[in-house]
Amino acid sequence: MKNWIANTDDRVFVLALWLLVAISFIAALTSNASLVTYSLLLYVPLFSVAYFFKYKSLQFSFIAYLLFSFLGDASNLFFLENMLTKASSVFYFLGFMYLLIMILPKFKVSEIRALVGSYLVGVFCIIMFFLFQIYSILNVVLNSATEVQLFAVKSLSLVVLGLISFGVYLNTQTKVSVWFLIGVGSLFVSVVLNYVNLYYFYHLGFVAVERILYASALYFLFKYAISDKMQIQDSKEISTNNVLV
């Protein structure tokens, strides 16, 4: 019975994911600008409702991430207003920081092997090189130094989040850590595509891919939140049983 309920909840999340994917495709195929613009407001609330369909509580860090992401999504709708564009970057950055707070306790520096540490440092250097190239281009393209700095801060926070997630996966190699890593990876590519659409070449096809990746990121992050919550509950039950014994 417990497995059936768990599978039902997973189907609700999959249904929410496919609904958002369908909306993204329809918006791209019909070139419906209004649907492209305002459908972004559905992403966080839809997955949140699917989560609270069964679970009544959520980790504070993840709630903060969802709140700041929704505020970033809402601000991002008004790109023509320069101040609101900057506000959306700040909101997204704060959300990424709370995701970092979520995963950081699972990153044990003492448990990292020398080979894994060297690999993480190498990946970090490669990614930073490409980010620096993009940063240099934005310095020329954009007139606002603040926007370029916000891009740098937001991108750097995502890179650190991705490397910490990757380090946790390499150390634990669990299904839960894979979900978080996939979620962060999807989020990173979604942010990159968002900058491409805003500052280089706007195309509804790119917007659709960006939104699908964003929906996928939320899907996997929520799966991580559910699994992490269940693991904590199981550990508490085991501790209680041990005390009773």
Side-chain angles (χ1 to χ4, degrees):
M1 182 69 177
K2 185 177 180 180
N3 290 334
W4 183 85
I5 294 174
N7 290 333
T8 301
D9 292 334
D10 191 61
R11 291 192 195 103
V12 173
F13 277 93
V14 172
L15 181 62
L17 176 62
W18 279 111
L19 177 61
L20 294 173
V21 169
I23 291 173
S24 299
F25 271 118
I26 292 170
L29 291 173
T30 60
S31 299
N32 189 326
S34 297
L35 185 59
V36 170
T37 301
Y38 294 105
S39 62
L40 188 59
L41 293 175
L42 293 174
Y43 285 65
V44 171
L46 190 59
F47 278 109
S48 298
V49 169
Y51 179 88
F52 286 106
F53 176 75
K54 176 183 177 183
Y55 303 96
K56 308 304 179 186
S57 62
L58 195 57
Q59 189 176 343
F60 173 77
S61 297
F62 196 50
I63 292 175
Y65 163 71
L66 294 173
L67 174 62
F68 285 120
S69 290
F70 180 75
L71 291 174
D73 294 342
S75 300
N76 213 24
L77 297 179
F78 306 99
F79 177 66
L80 293 177
E81 297 292 337
N82 194 37
M83 183 59 69
L84 290 174
T85 305
K86 295 173 184 176
S88 70
S89 294
V90 172
F91 288 137
Y92 286 136
F93 167 72
L94 292 173
F96 299 156
M97 286 294 98
Y98 276 102
L99 280 182
L100 188 58
I101 291 171
M102 271 181 64
I103 197 66
L104 201 55
K106 300 181 186 301
F107 185 73
K108 310 294 183 183
V109 178
S110 59
E111 296 177 2
I112 297 178
R113 297 183 292 273
L115 181 62
V116 173
S118 302
Y119 187 69
L120 290 176
V121 170
V123 172
F124 178 77
C125 291
I126 293 171
I127 294 175
M128 288 305 298
F129 171 77
F130 284 108
L131 281 180
F132 180 75
Q133 300 303 314
I134 298 173
Y135 177 83
S136 301
I137 295 171
L138 287 178
N139 253 329
V140 177
V141 174
L142 297 180
N143 296 322
S144 172
T146 305
E147 280 190 58
V148 180
Q149 291 166 0
L150 284 172
F151 163 79
V153 171
K154 188 169 71 171
S155 301
L156 183 59
S157 66
L158 261 179
V159 170
V160 173
L161 178 60
L163 288 175
I164 295 295
S165 306
F166 193 41
V168 171
Y169 164 70
L170 290 176
N171 275 341
T172 61
Q173 295 189 12
T174 60
K175 184 163 58 175
V176 178
S177 63
V178 171
W179 287 337
F180 194 88
L181 180 60
I182 294 174
V184 172
S186 301
L187 200 57
F188 181 80
V189 180
S190 172
V191 169
V192 171
L193 281 176
N194 179 253
Y195 270 92
V196 170
N197 286 319
L198 292 180
Y199 300 118
Y200 292 103
F201 178 70
Y202 182 84
H203 191 277
L204 282 175
F206 288 165
V207 175
V209 174
E210 173 204 329
R211 299 290 175 81
I212 290 169
L213 286 168
Y214 182 40
S216 301
L218 288 172
Y219 171 77
F220 284 106
L221 289 173
F222 267 103
K223 282 183 72 69
Y224 169 83
I226 292 171
S227 299
D228 192 53
K229 181 181 179 65
M230 293 179 70
Q231 284 182 351
I232 293 172
Q233 288 178 344
D234 290 342
S235 63
K236 286 181 179 178
E237 289 178 2
I238 292 172
S239 299
T240 304
N241 292 334
N242 289 337
V243 170
L244 293 175
V245 172

